[in-house]
């Protein structure tokens, strides 16, 4: 041990704060020895840092307590930024705690899926250590991960041996054996054991065998020669593991080799061979059509797996077969993402409208006995636009994900798998970070796709996304965008987040107190309460009213919560400098967001929503909306487009938030159970609710005291949605007893020539075995004396 007088002297030495390692070591003088002391001093001399750079280095390394000590006792310059440095320490400590909890949760999940005991980890002790020093915490966590990995390897080998026994006994089929091996390699030992023992089939992408790893020392052309030359096959021992799985695989490789000759016959041969390879029990000769640079045909049942059929319900996939010298397809820009094959084709840089099925991928595919169509999509997906699997807009993504959590979880895993963006760990991280908010999830997926293949991208970026400042700014904008330009709404949001962590209830009194702590002057209490109720339009809000608000637990809100106090103070300063009634207009953006919901079943809706989410000028957006409205007027109700299931409650909350922005004076209130799943597609339900709410909004236009009440209640096997307003009601436009005329084409509650909105509502409702009624023209309620529409939908 170093003599106490030396340590005491160093503890008083003003220059110690320029030696980062020394500052760390002096926290525990009882562990100091001559070697560690000398190393700390020499390192400080070599790095020649000042106090500020030492502070920043300590934060980067995770020596949080040492950084706090330096801030409290050291001669840091510019004390005016003390608050910012304290905030940096708090944020870094929270970031490290989140990392610890995330990794421990991932380890728990892996242990559960592997049916293995979790290594002993005292989370409370780890969190205590983490709040002091990450370098002291990390080795404990890594040791636990290493111990688990060792147990996992032993468990995997035991299951491989059990599977081999079943195969020797002839009690498992080849397809089941391959699927079980895939589950074992993925670490899903619980699911693999069930499948081996009793044949219980698992779900998810992990059950489909992966493509074999490529041999970097061998070129695809050399391996193809081995396939084509029986003599070489006998001489090359390394060829054994690349033997084609069956005759259809061998014929596929031979057909690809023949493409170098060009012509219709070789294109037909390859197309037929590929379809036969993918659909061994249901293949037929294909007749390609000649196009510029080659031939165009289809691959049937490419999306045959029921779990991925939702990504392309029509199933078939366009196949372009290039000529011997064709380097890229031409004139196919309007074709949905397709596959292209040919000896001279080159894959486009980045994601594009087509994916090249090259020789190397074909050689890998040829070794598979099962899961061939899925394996093909794994080759194509990383080359296609992300929208091919995740939709072009958050709404489209939301519809793809489905309603219940198990459906969302499975679909997200497939999205990540087929786009090459990751597996279960990434899916878990995305679900936690976004709280299943489709706008946030869409943003994270786009960011992962943009960083795919880059250094520091993928899962590494995902674990550190909060350090990506441009992205965190985009996250904050995405969360707050539904609130529009209202400063009071943003004040309510930041005050609620500052008052309590996500998941905990915040009352109006607590929220107002938080705002009062942040500024001397705050908005009127009633205005803040109204803004609290408006937070319901946020997907991150679990519940919101004028009395209380509760946010969902998710990583994004945890990160924003670190800055909530600072953001609240800034929002209050902005409000004081610019009263709410002087807030800038949003150039009609909120109204466009609302009006677009009328056209959810029309061709062009997704394109318009994508433009609306981008930076298109207002004039262009208005032109697009007019074109979309024309398509809606011509569009007939298609039974397939209205089918599906939808939880009406979150949809109603989202649309009520948009309605409030489009009609800022009146207030809307919703009474509904926790969930109300109806048998109708999300887009169709959106159109129904739009028309009914738009009628109420127009009836109350210009009113500052108007009210709309929406009540959702079960009735037998149906959901009854009552929409009442406090407007003037429907007058004598229609004869008494002939209220059904309001639903005729070309008639509306505002008179002749106003279109057929309510007519479309009835057609859509009837298409799903529902109905819509005018329950009362007026005075059907003692307070809400306007029109009362009743929508009836079958339960899902």
């Amino acid at each position: 041990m170093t003599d106490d007088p030396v340590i005491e002297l160093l503890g008083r030495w003003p220059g110690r704060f320029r030696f980062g390692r020394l500052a760390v070591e002096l926290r525990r003088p009882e562990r100091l020895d001559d070697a560690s002391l000398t190393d700390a001093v020499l390192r400080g001399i070599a790095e020649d840092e000042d106090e500020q750079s030492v502070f920043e280095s300590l934060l980067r390394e995770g020596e949080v307590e040492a950084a706090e000590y330096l801030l409290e006792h050291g001669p840091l310059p510019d004390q005016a930024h003390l608050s910012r440095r304290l905030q940096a320490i708090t944020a870094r400590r929270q970031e490290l705690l989140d990392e610890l909890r995330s990794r421990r949760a991932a380890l728990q999940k892996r242990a559960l899926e592997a049916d293995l005991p979790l290594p002993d980890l005292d989370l409370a002790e780890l969190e205590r250590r983490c709040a002091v020093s990450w370098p002291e915490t990390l080795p404990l966590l890594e040791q636990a991960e290493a111990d688990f990995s060792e147990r996992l390897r032993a468990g995997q080998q035991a299951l491989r041996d059990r599977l081999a026994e079943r195969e020797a006994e002839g009690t498992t089929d080849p397809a089941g054996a391959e699927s079980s091996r895939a589950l074992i390699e993925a670490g899903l030992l619980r699911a693999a054991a069930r499948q081996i023992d009793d044949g219980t089939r698992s779900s998810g992408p992990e059950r489909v065998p992966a493509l074999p790893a490529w041999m970097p020392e061998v070129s695809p052309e050399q391996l193809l020669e081995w396939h084509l030359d029986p003599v070489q096959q006998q001489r090359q021992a390394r060829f054994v593991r690349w033997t084609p799985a069956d005759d259809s695989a061998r014929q596929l490789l031979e057909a690809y080799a023949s493409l170098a000759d060009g012509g219709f016959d070789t294109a037909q041969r390859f197309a037929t061979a590929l379809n036969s390879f993918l659909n061994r029990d249901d293949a037929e000769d294909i007749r390609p059509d000649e196009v510029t640079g080659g031939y165009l045909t289809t691959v049937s049942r490419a999306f045959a797996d029921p779990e991925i059929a939702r990504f392309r319900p029509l199933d078939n996939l366009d196949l372009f077969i290039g000529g011997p010298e064709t380097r890229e397809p031409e004139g196919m820009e309007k074709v949905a993402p397709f596959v292209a094959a040919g000896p001279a084709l080159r894959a486009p840089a980045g994601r594009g409208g087509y994916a090249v099925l090259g020789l190397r991928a074909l050689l890998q595919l040829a070794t598979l006995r099962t899961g061939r169509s899925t394996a093909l999509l794994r080759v194509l997906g990383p080359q296609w636009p992300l929208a091919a699997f995740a939709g072009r807009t958050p709404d489209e993504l939301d519809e793809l994900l489905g309603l219940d959590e198990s459906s969302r979880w499975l679909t997200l895993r497939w999205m990540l798998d087929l786009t090459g963006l990751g597996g279960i760990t990434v899916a878990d991280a995305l679900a936690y970070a976004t709280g299943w908010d489709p706008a946030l999830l869409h943003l994270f997926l786009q960011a992962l796709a943009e960083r795919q293949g880059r250094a520091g991208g993928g899962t590494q970026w995902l674990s550190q996304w909060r350090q990506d400042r441009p992205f965190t700014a985009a996250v904050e904008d995405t969360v707050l965008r539904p609130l529009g330009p209202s400063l009071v709404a943003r004040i309510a949001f930041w005050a609620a987040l500052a008052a309590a962590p996500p998941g905990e209830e915040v009352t109006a009194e607590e929220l107002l107190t938080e705002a009062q702590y942040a500024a001397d002057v705050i908005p009127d209490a009633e205005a803040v309460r109204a803004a609290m109720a408006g937070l319901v339009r946020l997907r991150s809000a679990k519940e919101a009213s004028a009395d209380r608000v509760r946010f969902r637990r998710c990583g994004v809100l945890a990160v924003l919560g670190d800055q909530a106090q600072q953001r609240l103070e800034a929002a209050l300063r902005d409000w004081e400098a610019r009263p709410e009634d002087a807030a800038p207009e949003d150039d009609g953006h909120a109204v466009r967001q609302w009006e677009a919901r009328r056209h959810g079943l029309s061709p062009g809706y997704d394109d318009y929503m994508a433009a609306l989410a981008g930076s298109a000028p207002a004039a262009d957006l208005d032109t697009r909306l007019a074109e979309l409205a024309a398509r809606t007027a011509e569009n007939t109700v298609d039974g397939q487009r209205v089918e599906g299931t939808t939880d009406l409650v979150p949809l109603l909350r989202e649309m009520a938030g948009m309605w409030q922005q489009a009609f800022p004076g009146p207030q809307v209130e919703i009474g509904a159970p926790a969930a109300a799943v109806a048998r109708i597609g999300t887009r169709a339900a959106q159109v129904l609710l739009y028309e009914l709410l738009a009628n109420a909004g127009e009836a109350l236009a210009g009113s500052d005291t108007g009210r709309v009440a929406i009540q959702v209640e079960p009735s037998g096997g149906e959901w009854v949605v009552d929409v009442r307003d406090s407007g003037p009601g429907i007058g004598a436009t229609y004869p008494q007893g002939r209220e059904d005329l309001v639903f005729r084409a070309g008639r509306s509650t505002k008179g002749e020539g106003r279109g057929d909105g309510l007519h479309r509502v009835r057609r859509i409702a009837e298409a799903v075995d529902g109905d819509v009624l005018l329950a009362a023209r007026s005075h059907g309620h003692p307070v809400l004396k306007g029109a009362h529409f009743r929508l009836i939908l079958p339960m899902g």
Side-chain angles (χ1 to χ4, degrees), residues 97-419:
L97 283 170
D98 287 347
E99 171 74 4
L100 170 65
R101 290 165 182 162
S102 174
R103 288 177 65 163
R104 185 180 184 277
L107 193 56
Q108 284 181 310
K109 191 175 183 66
R110 290 178 64 197
L112 179 65
E113 290 164 345
D115 201 19
L116 292 171
L118 183 69
D120 292 333
L121 276 176
D122 186 338
L123 182 59
E125 174 61 18
L126 283 177
E127 289 184 348
R128 187 193 66 76
R129 287 175 176 266
C130 183
V132 172
S133 169
W134 179 248
E136 291 182 7
T137 310
L138 187 58
L140 300 175
L141 185 60
E142 289 178 337
Q143 184 59 52
E145 292 171 338
D147 292 345
F148 172 77
S149 296
E150 187 63 33
R151 295 181 193 179
L152 179 62
R153 282 191 289 272
Q156 287 173 315
Q157 188 56 51
L159 273 185
R160 291 189 193 102
D161 294 342
R162 193 192 307 178
L163 178 60
E165 292 175 5
R166 298 290 190 275
E167 288 183 292
E169 295 167 356
T171 56
T172 184
D173 61 278
E178 284 202 7
S179 177
S180 296
R181 286 193 187 91
L183 291 169
I184 292 170
E185 295 308 312
L188 305 182
L189 306 191
R190 183 191 296 271
R194 285 200 308 267
Q195 194 160 291
I196 293 169
D197 293 338
D198 58 23
T200 302
R201 287 291 187 258
S202 182
S203 62
E206 298 79 18
R207 64 181 166 78
V208 181
L211 291 173
W214 186 254
M215 300 181 297
E217 71 277 8
V218 179
S219 71
E221 291 73 21
Q222 182 182 1
L223 189 55
L224 181 61
E225 283 297 321
W226 291 347
H227 282 280
L228 301 178
D229 186 347
V231 176
Q232 286 198 49
Q233 291 177 23
Q234 295 172 4
R235 290 201 304 261
Q236 296 286 347
R238 289 182 298 174
F239 176 77
V240 175
R241 63 189 289 258
W242 292 94
T243 302
D246 56 23
D247 286 342
S248 69
R250 186 173 290 104
Q251 290 168 9
L252 175 62
L253 296 176
E254 292 172 355
Y256 182 85
S258 72
L259 290 180
D261 299 330
F264 174 85
D265 291 339
T266 60
Q268 184 180 38
R269 179 185 177 189
F270 177 77
T272 301
L274 181 57
N275 275 277
S276 177
F277 172 75
L278 296 175
N279 308 291
R280 285 170 290 187
D281 299 330
D282 183 23
E284 57 184 24
D285 286 342
I286 305 297
R287 184 171 183 82
D289 295 309
E290 188 170 3
V291 295
T292 303
Y295 299 87
L296 184 64
T297 181
T298 59
V299 179
S300 63
R301 303 187 72 243
F303 291 76
D305 191 318
E307 291 183 11
I308 59 177
R310 68 179 61 195
F311 296 121
R312 190 174 290 195
L314 297 180
D315 194 3
N316 288 350
L317 178 64
D318 289 306
L319 168 64
F320 173 83
I321 303 172
E325 298 179 356
T326 301
R327 299 182 67 84
E328 63 181 36
E330 296 181 21
M332 296 182 60
E333 293 79 9
K334 295 188 180 299
V335 177
F338 62 95
V339 56
L345 284 177
R346 296 293 179 265
R351 294 175 179 265
Y354 66 94
V356 172
L357 179 59
L359 176 57
R360 173 172 159 172
L362 281 169
L363 291 165
Q364 292 172 297
L365 286 167
T367 66
L368 300 181
R369 295 185 179 277
T370 61
R372 291 174 171 181
S373 60
T374 300
L376 172 65
L377 293 177
R378 283 173 172 164
V379 172
L380 309 180
Q383 302 179 60
W384 280 342
L386 179 65
F389 294 101
R392 287 178 289 181
T393 65
D395 284 346
E396 203 170 329
L397 172 62
D398 198 23
E399 192 163 354
L400 280 169
L401 288 172
L403 293 176
D404 62 278
E405 188 166 341
S406 61
S407 168
R408 292 198 302 269
W409 174 241
L410 181 61
T411 303
L412 178 59
R413 281 160 55 199
W414 275 113
M415 284 178 184
L416 294 169
D417 180 84
L418 297 178
T419 55

Side-chain angles (χ1 to χ4, degrees), residues 482-484 533-539 541 653-654 656-658 660-661:
L483 298 180
L535 295 179
V536 72
R537 72 191 71 169
L538 300 178
R539 290 296 289 265
R653 294 189 186 282
E654 178 189 29
M658 289 187 288
Q660 198 73 73
Q661 290 179 262

Side-chain angles (χ1 to χ4, degrees), residues 642-657:
V642 302
E643 292 174 352
T645 55
T646 301
D647 188 344
L648 300 175
V649 178
L651 180 61
L652 267 172
R653 294 189 186 282
E654 178 189 29
M655 296 194 69

Side-chain angles (χ1 to χ4, degrees), residues 666-690:
Q667 295 295 310
V668 62
E669 54 192 50
I670 299 172
V677 179
R679 197 169 69 246
I680 184 173
T682 302
R683 298 278 182 86
Q686 170 186 296
V687 173
L688 290 178
L689 296 173
Y690 168 86

